[in-house]
Amino acid sequence: MTIIDAHGSDLDDTIHGEIPGAPGRGPRSSMSMRDRVTTGTVGLRARRGRTLLTAIGIAIGIASMVSVLGISSSSRAALVAELDELGTNLLAVEPGQDVFGTSQQLPADAPAMIRRIGPVESAASVTQIATVVRRNDHIDPQRAGGVTVMAAEPHLLSTLKGSVAVGRFVDESTNRLPVVVLGSVAAERLGITSLAGGPRVVINDRWFDVIGLLDRIPLNPDLDRSVTIGYPAAVDQLGIDPAASRIYVRTDPDQVEAVRSVLGRTASPGASNEVNVSRPSDALEARTKVDQNLQNLLLGLGGVALLVGAVGIANVMVISVLERRTEIGVRRALGATRGHIRSQFVLESALLSALGGALGVGLGVAVTWAYARRQEWVVDVPATALAGGVAVSLVIGAIAGLYPAAKAARLDPADAVRPT
């Protein structure tokens, strides 16, 4: 028989519980872990609709975190693959400014001088031309659409490891002719998607035939937005100054820093401090730092969603305790200890949250897969994100269930079974 004090609290915590020091009593009532888990799922199985809706709250937070980590990891994997393909041994040489802030020019023989450096595999110059490109001569020159014009050497594309989508790039046989090659963005803005019909564009009131369309060139987005013409044609047709505005240098991968240190004084021996040397791949690598900041922000938002889900679980479990007072009272009267009741509701809360975590992991993987495929990335979801998603949800569920479980354990058996 359960002994209850004046405040309604168990003195021995169970009908058949053993009182320390009292001989002749039976063993304390106990439950195996399997029985505890089975009992903990009773409420979940009895109220499936509520279980699913509550689990969705946790699922949203876990899905947010898994998808953020998965998309970031896939993006980094794509970047690494891109850098492996394009190489980090590409350098860019540009004219800088003198001590008075005046823009300078590279010497005319700078490209040839750079090619004499031993570890340099290739070097190609480009010159930006201050003019506009139009699809036809009926378009207002003021509406250029952000497309620029560049003169380039024939081996520019091989130096950049770029490729032609359609047609051909300017070479020794065409660089004196009025022909152009369009970058991927320039072609889109000019509305030219193929070479069918012999498309032409107008540059400085002169017609130029389009002989090629380029694929995207990640290490040189300026070329993507440009119309490229050969140097001889640019001098003859547009009257440009052939001084290079930029020189791309492809070096031995093991000698990048050594070449970088001598490029300035090689390009402009008398004014090396007026030459800027950069590595285009650094811009791609810097993008990962921006992605990291965005990832932290999104993870924070996912954490807020998890907190809201945890509050929802705690609220639902409190309601469940109130609804199941009679069940709790009967179980206590049949010998269940406060620890049994407490573990039942903590396990129920943890299992409910774990269900949401599993749903969230699945949803996060699906979102990552869909986005990565759309971006043509390799899908890369860290295993830690998968295991961590379920583990975090379990912990959150257990914490959220502590208060409802304590509330259930404190219920007096006599009051719990008494009709209200």
Side-chain angles (χ1 to χ4, degrees), residues 9-32:
S9 301
D10 293 349
L11 296 180
D12 61 353
D13 208 27
T14 176
I15 291 176
H16 302 293
E18 181 181 1
I19 299 176
R25 289 297 186 95
R28 182 179 295 273
S29 175
S30 63
M31 291 179 67
S32 67

Side-chain angles (χ1 to χ4, degrees), residues 20-220:
R25 289 297 186 95
R28 182 179 295 273
S29 175
S30 63
M31 291 179 67
S32 67
M33 180 55 66
R34 179 179 179 182
D35 291 336
R36 291 173 188 248
V37 173
T38 301
T39 306
T41 61
V42 170
L44 303 182
R45 289 182 277 117
R47 299 169 179 82
R48 296 181 181 180
R50 179 193 293 180
T51 297
L52 179 60
L53 291 175
T54 307
I56 288 175
I58 289 291
I60 292 173
I62 294 295
S64 301
M65 291 186 164
V66 171
S67 59
V68 166
L69 292 174
I71 290 173
S72 298
S73 181
S74 298
S75 175
R76 284 193 294 271
L79 177 61
V80 169
E82 193 171 57
L83 289 176
D84 287 343
E85 179 181 354
L86 298 173
T88 57
N89 60 330
L90 180 70
L91 300 173
V93 180
E94 297 177 289
Q97 297 178 336
D98 61 17
V99 293
F100 302 105
T102 303
S103 297
Q104 301 298 300
Q105 282 190 333
L106 292 174
D109 61 350
M113 294 295 293
I114 289 174
R115 292 188 190 102
R116 295 178 182 176
I117 301 175
V120 170
E121 297 174 352
S122 64
S125 63
V126 297
T127 300
Q128 188 162 346
I129 304 172
T131 187
V132 298
V133 183
R134 293 178 290 163
R135 183 68 177 84
N136 56 59
D137 53 4
H138 299 296
I139 296 176
D140 186 346
Q142 300 300 320
R143 302 177 61 184
V147 177
T148 59
V149 181
M150 284 188 179
E153 293 183 299
H155 46 281
L156 171 66
L157 202 61
S158 60
T159 300
L160 294 176
K161 292 189 177 179
S163 60
V164 178
V166 181
R168 58 192 293 191
F169 195 68
V170 290
D171 53 28
E172 296 294 344
S173 63
T174 59
N175 64 0
R176 295 183 177 277
L177 304 176
V179 296
V180 295
V181 177
L182 308 183
S184 58
V185 176
E188 180 181 344
R189 292 178 178 176
L190 292 171
I192 300 175
T193 58
S194 71
L195 301 183
R200 298 193 298 169
V201 295
V202 177
I203 304 176
N204 205 20
D205 295 328
R206 295 176 180 269
W207 287 96
F208 288 77
D209 293 318
V210 178
I211 63 170
L213 307 177
L214 299 180
D215 288 319
R216 186 177 71 92
I217 303 178
L219 293 184
N220 187 7

